[in-house]
Amino acid sequence: MTKEYKTITEIAGPLIFLEKTEPVGYGELVHINLPDGTTKRGQVLDSSADVVAVQVFEGTGGLNEESGVVFSGETIKLPVSKDMLGRILSGSGEPLDGGPSIIPEDRVDVNGASMNPYSRMPPEDFIQTGISTIDGTNTLVRGQKLPIFSGSGLPHNEIALQIARQAKVPGSDEDFAVVFAAMGITNEEAQYFMQDFEKTGALERAVVFLNLADDPAVERIVTPRMALTAAEYLAYEHDMHVLVILTDITNYCEALRQMGAAREEVPGRRGYPGYMYTDLASLYERAGVIKGLKGSVTQFSILTMPGDDITHPIPDLSGYITEGQIVVSRELHRKGIYPPINVLPSLSRLMNSGIGDGKTRDDHKAVSDQMYAGYAEGRDLRGLVAIVGKEALSERDQRILEFADLFEDRFVRQGRDENRTIEDTLSVSWEILSELPESLLTRIDNKYIDKYHPAHKSN
Amino acid sequence: MKGEIYRVAGPVVTIMGIKPKMYDVVHVGNEGLMGEVIKIEGDKATVQVYEDTSGVKPGEPVVNTGMSLSVELGPGLLESIYDGIQRPLKVLQEQMGDFIQRGVTADGLDRERVWDFKAVASVGDVVEGGDVIGVVQETMNVEHKIMVPPTVSGTIKDVRSGDFKVDDTVCTLEDGTELSMVQKWPVRLPRPVTKKLMPTKPLITGQRILDGLFPVAKGGTAAIPGPFGSGKTVTQQQLAKWSDTDIVVYIGCGERGNEMADVLNEFPELQDPKTGRPLMERTVLIANTSNMPVAAREASVYTGITIAEYYRDMGYDVSLMADSTSRWAEAMREISSRLEEMPGEEGYPAYLSARLSEFYERAGCVHSLSGEEGSITVIGAVSPPGGDFSEPVTQNTLRIVKVFWALDAKLAQRRHFPSINWLTSYSLYTEGLSGWFGENVSPEWVSLRNNAMDMLQQESELQEIVQLVGSDALPENQQLILEICRMLREYFLQQNAFHPVDTYCSFDKQYKLLKSISTYGDKAMIALESGIPMSEILALESKDDLAKVKFEEDFDGVLNEVLAKMDKEFAKLGGN
Ligand SMILES: Nc1ncnc2c1ncn2[C@@H]1O[C@H](COP(=O)(O)OP(=O)(O)OP(=O)(O)O)[C@@H](O)[C@H]1O
Ligand SMILES: [Mg+2]
């Protein structure tokens, strides 16, 4: 097991190739001893009787044919323990906070195994984030994977932190934790997160994995897997409700692309590997609730869309896997609206199972549909007004145009520390909907109009 | 014969030392992971492995089963949920817990369950492939016919009714062949039929835009392409729930685990509109989610269609939903690139289009070997990158299928559901089915439908003008057309899958709704021509009331009230 091979024949980018080894397992963890005494780690990508290919996490800088390679005989494992809470670890799981190393309760394969669909419990517990554009129109539920699609320079970090601070299931005080994994973000951004965690005391309930912009890109491939392994452990072994924040998925995908190029693979769309869908699914699908278990894993990841383009392969493939997306808009941000969430391209697919009578309120779905319809039409009309002028609009259209403004100003806009309950969100909704003529409220059943419309409500 | 592993690279393993046939199933490694031979070159063969290969080493043993990848067909398929290679997920959970570990084999059909077999053939009967020798009540409404396997024939020496397990012998032929209730069939080989027939009946889905504007025939093929979040899965699930077929095979191919959990949760609770029994009793689920092995994902559509063919052979109408065929194509691409095959368009293998057409060709109405008429309707979701329909999977699919339900991100964004674009979608069955509609819905139906389509076409042209000059600049009769089209879109085309009443709409209701909108349109046109101001015509309360009729339990009652009110209101305006 501890045999050291000095048979490297080729070094190419993050890969090394070596010959004449004992049989080596696919996916095995590898230690590489450099001539200068340092060690690096890697993973077997291709293993045949003649040649073995290894991808080196810390990059191949400083490696040469003199370097010794030791195969560990096992796949990559993360030592896990409840004591991970409050700790800051590197992107490959080593303590960064000067604390002792984790005394493992278990060592778990970071690739995880796929959850049996038969064991899944359909997510349905409403999480109140206190943000109206999420709770009201794109509701998050426990066990969901709902990323933020943002752009560079937009306040996605603020939104993620606000959610991490405020998120709760109304009326419950169950054990929760946050697992935060930074992938290729700048030191400054990382500081921003850490300070907020410390200030609010959230760090005690958090496990942090940091792979920063100047850390090796290859390591980024393992970082989210470590984080999700920790999250699953806390959720399924310790009954905790875990919120996982992975940031930034885009950097992760760049690392994948870099690896693919180094392996001289036939690239897929825009140079990203053809298996990127499957690879991303192996991360995103590690969210959910298991029948009969108390804990859950909810993912709220951040993804910056290159060039604000939602059809770029990274957001596109993500959108095909996640259960919706929250889209941050540059236009709203420029208008000075926080949080600048554009509800139109945003979606929560699990919303229907998390809302309604007994969960949020009976009128929730209808109210949300009506606001979407009104806002969508209002925004179209803005385009028209720019061409023909407001006067050319019918009375009806003018009211809808005004509704769109109200929607942005009263429903979307809120304070960075403003934590709205779902009742607050729904009353703001009715306030602005009541500015529209009732005949336009075609998506709302009359019984809800009678019950909640400010003009009808009896009390 | 034993061989050994030469190379492991992800799901693709190269073996040597044995001489397998193409598509043989082999077990590789110390854990005996299941795989299928997909390439033979010299003394080596390449295997796609259906399970995770981490830790597997060169030199580990390989065993050839000599058989092609097959499914088990027999009673007990209904109500099951399988992975892509027909392992029951329930059994996997019992054996290894909530996460799928590898190296576990499990029979497709429960070996212990006892079925009440009623022989219908008798001793001395000469039987051949497809003949029914007995029946089993598989679920309350599905009678499972036990057929002679397609390749077997002979004279019955012994056949008996009674309680049997699936692999007990229920019938013996003179030549000694023993028949049980289970037969195996290689998934990549279509089951034989006597004759293919032209589809003549619509698949009634209860979805207005599908039944009304773009119907698919029983035995037909349809594709639903659309960008993420546009409604492919919801549409497929609606079809699985409400279509008037006997059997539903639903394949979750490379998609989300939670969606499958949802189906599993919901289907036992929902009632089949035809029989009133739980939907699950007519359903077979195949779930190979995006995080499960890609090779098994590649196999999953074949597993599904073979099961569908088996029920078709009994004379049932089967519908098969595959969500999403793009993930299947990607699995082919991934395996192909690991084989270092010459890539075709966008890296997909050159045989992509052949595989797609072979798959859709397995749909159809047939005379089965047993002499029954059965059908398979195939409905495939397509997930084009960036929502761009010019990509290879969408394009190759459109060359084959007869119905195109084009999902549109713009409609989805404004929550117009189902977000099927009525201008770009089409059905090549519309003509052929018009006789059926005339007889079974109403003689007026076809013209009502065609009128609605014409209006919607006009609307899109008028919209272009409105974009330039505003709607007030249009002549009043054109403004009226816009209003009627809005009614068509909002009252008729929009259908909320999550509303307890609106989720399913019978043909009767569809006809009455469309008729009412058309009635309003005709009356309004007459009123307008007799000089009544547009604003008064638009202000009729009955017009707004019509919006909500589709949500009413007492549809006919409420509709009649609204129509009566409409008559009165128009009479008051004068002109009519
Ligand atoms: N007929 C409908 N009625 C009401 N809501 C609908 C309908 N169709 C779609 N939706 C809404 O759209 C959302 C997305 O639909 P769906 O999950 O079917 O998209 P999809 O095309 O399958 O996406 P993906 O490719 O990512 O799987 C649903 O969660 C639901 O909120
Ligand atoms: Mg889908």
Side-chain angles (χ1 to χ4, degrees), chain A residues 319-320 349, chain B residues 228-234 255-256 417 495 497-498:
Chain A
Y320 272 121
R349 294 164 196 238
Chain B
F228 64 79
S230 57
K232 296 179 290 295
T233 304
V234 173
E255 294 283 315
R256 304 173 181 83
F417 291 122
Q495 186 169 3
F498 302 99

Side-chain angles (χ1 to χ4, degrees), chain A residues 318-322 347-352 365 369, chain B residues 207 226-236 238 255-256 259 323-324 327 381-383 407 412 415-419 495-499:
Chain A
S318 296
Y320 272 121
I321 306 164
T322 57
L347 170 70
S348 162
R349 294 164 196 238
L350 301 184
M351 173 165 177
N352 288 314
K365 167 93 176 117
D369 284 350
Chain B
Q207 311 303 305
F228 64 79
S230 57
K232 296 179 290 295
T233 304
V234 173
T235 308
Q236 296 259 42
Q238 286 296 91
E255 294 283 315
R256 304 173 181 83
E259 287 173 351
D323 185 12
S324 157
R327 306 300 165 221
V382 185
S383 316
L407 292 173
R415 303 307 191 250
H416 172 111
F417 291 122
S419 46
Q495 186 169 3
N496 184 348
F498 302 99
H499 189 282

Side-chain angles (χ1 to χ4, degrees), chain A residues 179-301:
Chain A
V179 171
F180 177 83
M183 301 176 286
I185 64 173
T186 61
N187 190 43
E188 201 180 312
E189 274 179 290
Q191 291 293 333
Y192 179 78
F193 276 101
M194 301 315 300
Q195 273 168 13
D196 197 87
F197 285 158
E198 268 165 44
K199 195 174 74 201
T200 58
L203 191 57
E204 277 170 50
R205 313 288 316 155
V207 188
V208 176
F209 291 85
L210 292 180
N211 164 286
L212 300 183
D214 54 356
D215 288 330
V218 212
E219 188 185 84
R220 241 155 259 170
I221 314 252
V222 243
T223 308
R225 297 188 159 80
M226 300 255 168
L228 288 162
T229 304
E232 285 171 349
Y233 176 77
L234 294 173
Y236 307 131
E237 301 295 328
H238 290 282
D239 294 343
M240 301 179 117
H241 293 290
V242 186
L243 179 68
V244 180
I245 301 176
L246 304 176
T247 179
D248 180 330
I249 296 285
T250 301
N251 296 334
Y252 172 81
C253 292
E254 294 305 339
L256 268 189
R257 174 160 75 170
Q258 199 178 322
M259 287 308 308
R263 288 151 74 170
E264 295 177 1
E265 292 164 348
V266 182
R269 225 161 53 100
R270 301 213 207 168
Y272 295 92
Y275 49 79
M276 194 155 90
Y277 173 84
T278 303
D279 188 281
L280 283 172
S282 73
L283 302 182
Y284 289 128
E285 276 291 311
R286 293 173 78 174
V289 186
I290 294 180
K291 279 184 220 157
L293 296 187
K294 280 213 192 106
S296 63
V297 176
T298 308
Q299 281 185 35
F300 202 84
S301 299

Side-chain angles (χ1 to χ4, degrees), chain A residues 26 46-47 50 277 316 320 380, chain B residues 6-8 55 254 384 386 414:
Chain A
Y26 172 75
D46 192 331
S47 171
D50 305 322
Y277 173 84
D316 188 53
Y320 272 121
D380 284 350
Chain B
Y6 167 73
R7 173 181 172 194
V8 189
R414 58 200 52 200

Side-chain angles (χ1 to χ4, degrees), chain A residues 38 127 132 134 141 155 169 281 313 320 437:
Chain A
T38 57
I127 298 183
S132 290
I134 298 177
V141 297
V169 172
Y320 272 121

Side-chain angles (χ1 to χ4, degrees), chain B residues 276-549:
Chain B
R277 298 292 308 167
L279 279 176
M280 204 60 203
E281 293 185 1
R282 65 170 201 186
T283 308
V284 185
L285 295 175
I286 317 270
N288 212 95
T289 55
S290 55
N291 56 338
M292 287 159 76
V294 280
R297 186 199 300 171
E298 194 273 333
S300 65
V301 297
Y302 295 101
T303 298
I305 193 109
T306 309
I307 292 173
E309 286 175 340
Y310 176 65
Y311 282 96
R312 171 206 65 192
D313 289 348
M314 296 178 206
Y316 289 122
D317 289 321
V318 183
S319 48
L320 176 139
M321 288 86 199
D323 185 12
S324 157
T325 59
S326 293
R327 306 300 165 221
W328 168 45
E330 285 165 10
M332 280 189 241
R333 174 170 72 185
E334 185 167 342
I335 305 284
S336 159
S337 90
R338 304 252 184 195
L339 295 182
E340 290 164 13
E341 288 174 344
M342 185 69 158
E345 224 183 327
E346 294 194 15
Y348 287 103
Y351 45 79
L352 170 72
S353 124
R355 293 275 167 90
L356 283 169
S357 34
E358 283 159 21
F359 169 66
Y360 282 105
E361 266 306 298
R362 292 173 77 168
C365 279
V366 305
H367 260 304
S368 72
L369 296 183
S370 58
E372 303 268 1
E373 237 176 73
S375 69
I376 301 178
T377 313
V378 172
I379 296 143
V382 185
S383 316
D388 176 2
F389 289 176
S390 67
E391 59 89 39
V393 182
T394 314
Q395 284 306 312
N396 281 304
T397 304
L398 287 186
R399 278 206 286 276
I400 309 160
V401 300
K402 300 281 192 300
V403 180
F404 173 47
W405 294 321
L407 292 173
D408 186 324
K410 281 220 191 72
L411 292 174
Q413 280 195 10
R414 58 200 52 200
R415 303 307 191 250
H416 172 111
F417 291 122
S419 46
I420 295 173
N421 185 315
W422 49 90
L423 298 173
T424 49
S425 300
Y426 60 79
S427 162
L428 301 182
Y429 297 114
T430 319
E431 275 298 312
L433 294 174
S434 58
W436 189 96
F437 291 130
E439 258 168 53
N440 294 279
V441 184
S442 153
E444 245 184 314
W445 175 256
V446 174
S447 68
L448 272 177
R449 177 220 175 251
N450 291 348
N451 269 337
M453 284 298 282
D454 280 350
M455 297 268 263
L456 290 166
Q457 187 64 46
Q458 282 185 48
E459 181 193 35
S460 83
E461 287 155 20
L462 292 177
Q463 289 291 6
E464 284 175 24
I465 305 176
V466 170
Q467 286 305 314
L468 295 175
V469 295
S471 59
D472 278 4
L474 290 181
E476 289 201 321
N477 61 344
Q478 294 190 342
Q479 289 186 32
L480 185 58
I481 292 182
L482 287 182
E483 179 62 13
I484 297 167
C485 286
R486 190 188 62 78
M487 293 166 70
L488 282 173
R489 286 186 280 110
E490 292 184 11
Y491 305 179
F492 186 78
L493 296 183
Q494 284 185 9
Q495 186 169 3
N496 184 348
F498 302 99
H499 189 282
V501 176
D502 200 29
T503 184
Y504 176 82
C505 186
S506 67
F507 247 120
D508 179 54
K509 277 195 190 180
Q510 299 190 26
Y511 164 68
K512 287 176 180 161
L513 263 181
L514 202 53
K515 175 79 186 159
S516 310
I517 298 171
S518 146
T519 305
Y520 171 83
D522 293 345
K523 285 181 190 278
M525 222 32 114
I526 296 173
L528 194 65
E529 274 160 20
S530 59
I532 294 162
M534 208 25 205
S535 56
E536 286 182 28
I537 302 175
L538 294 187
L540 296 192
E541 275 184 19
S542 56
K543 187 198 74 182
D544 294 331
D545 292 347
L546 200 53
K548 291 174 186 171
V549 181

Side-chain angles (χ1 to χ4, degrees), chain A residues 349-375:
Chain A
R349 294 164 196 238
L350 301 184
M351 173 165 177
N352 288 314
S353 21
I355 66 171
D357 205 13
K359 289 173 174 163
T360 55
R361 214 168 75 182
D362 49 3
D363 58 329
H364 191 158
K365 167 93 176 117
V367 165
S368 165
D369 284 350
Q370 188 66 60
M371 291 207 297
Y372 262 104
Y375 183 55

